[in-house]
Amino acid sequence: MKNYGLVVKDIRNGKGYTQKYVIKNHLTQGGFSKFENGLSDISLRNMEFILNQLDVTFEEFFFITHDYHYRKKDDLLQQFINLTYNDKLSLKKIHKDYKIFLDKNDDILLGNILIIL
């Protein structure tokens, strides 16, 4: 997992945005620069503002942060959402995947979905 500030910097540079554009008058440029270089953290409210300026959702941001992969939980949720109801092999596979995940992780949502499966 990358440092959040470095990811923001990569996204900003990729879009060709300046620091000044991204922070408007919401943050100091010095504070934002420290954040982008991994030297400090920012509040969730400021992070939301920055991502909004970058036109990036939190979901997209975390996808990028995890090297363009979904977290295992998110991947399992997507498998369930995209599941064809009458595909027995897929049902068995996803049921097994959920059990394996839940043996190592405590997650109420995935536990409830496992009951449904």
Side-chain angles (χ1 to χ4, degrees):
M1 182 173 69
K2 296 179 184 177
N3 175 285
Y4 293 152
L6 297 175
V7 174
V8 166
K9 186 176 186 177
D10 287 345
I11 294 168
R12 181 182 61 76
N13 286 332
K15 291 188 173 214
Y17 296 167
T18 64
Q19 285 185 340
K20 187 175 181 179
Y21 169 78
V22 172
I23 61 172
K24 297 272 184 213
N25 292 322
H26 198 77
L27 296 161
T28 67
Q29 191 159 357
F32 184 63
S33 182
K34 284 181 181 179
F35 169 66
E36 279 194 334
N37 290 304
L39 301 174
S40 69
D41 289 325
I42 60 172
S43 70
L44 181 60
R45 186 175 70 96
N46 286 336
M47 186 65 167
E48 181 180 25
F49 178 85
I50 290 167
L51 292 181
N52 194 31
Q53 289 295 105
L54 294 170
D55 296 315
V56 173
T57 66
F58 273 103
E59 184 177 330
E60 292 167 327
F61 178 75
F62 287 118
F63 181 74
I64 294 167
T65 302
H66 291 92
D67 295 321
Y68 297 90
H69 292 93
Y70 288 110
R71 296 177 304 161
K72 184 61 178 174
K73 177 181 176 174
D74 295 331
D75 186 46
L76 289 170
L77 287 169
Q78 285 301 314
Q79 286 179 35
F80 179 72
I81 290 167
N82 296 326
L83 192 60
T84 303
Y85 75 95
N86 61 354
D87 185 349
K88 289 182 184 180
L89 290 177
S90 293
L91 281 167
K92 286 182 181 182
K93 181 189 179 314
I94 195 170
H95 186 272
K96 179 183 172 188
D97 291 345
Y98 270 62
K99 284 187 73 108
I100 290 169
F101 181 85
L102 289 168
D103 284 344
K104 298 176 185 173
N105 303 280
D106 185 28
D107 190 284
I108 294 172
L109 176 61
L110 294 186
N112 289 336
I113 292 173
L114 181 62
I115 292 168
I116 294 167
L117 290 168

